[in-house]
Amino acid sequence: MNATVEQSLMSKIRTLSPQQVAEVEDFVEFLATKVRKRRALDRLLAIAPALEAAGAAPMSEDDIAAEVDAVRAERRVREAGSTSKDSGADRS
């Protein structure tokens, strides 16, 4: 983003209420998440031919959903552990 566009956006954001700024922040995060998901899908699709050539069995949508759920659960546990350690350090 060039400096002119950035300055224009910042000028507009400064006129918004705190609630509107929170909405803008949520929207920006939504856009960033959308880009991350698209890139992850592109990476997955890029390796699909290699998986097929290696004889890997195709996964059903249920299999994929189960894998995604497992990864998300592991991430939540990891993040909860990290948060607990961080708050424990503050108690000292």
Side-chain angles (χ1 to χ4, degrees):
M1 165 180 346
N2 69 40
T4 304
V5 172
E6 186 174 343
Q7 287 175 350
S8 174
L9 283 171
M10 290 306 300
S11 175
K12 291 173 185 175
I13 289 171
R14 285 186 191 100
T15 67
L16 300 176
S17 70
Q19 182 180 359
Q20 290 170 317
V21 171
E23 288 180 35
V24 169
E25 187 176 13
D26 288 344
F27 183 66
V28 170
E29 184 57 37
F30 163 77
L31 292 175
T33 299
K34 187 174 165 182
V35 168
R36 284 192 303 271
K37 286 181 179 181
R38 182 69 220 182
R39 288 179 180 160
L41 177 60
D42 290 345
R43 287 191 308 271
L44 178 61
L45 293 175
I47 66 167
L51 290 172
E52 186 176 348
M59 294 177 72
S60 70
E61 287 186 34
D62 289 339
D63 293 337
I64 295 169
E67 288 292 326
V68 168
D69 290 343
V71 169
R72 287 178 177 161
E74 288 175 14
R75 184 181 302 146
R76 282 191 296 272
V77 168
R78 195 170 51 246
E79 289 172 354
S82 171
T83 302
S84 296
K85 290 176 185 172
D86 292 344
S87 62
D90 292 338
R91 291 183 209 148
S92 307

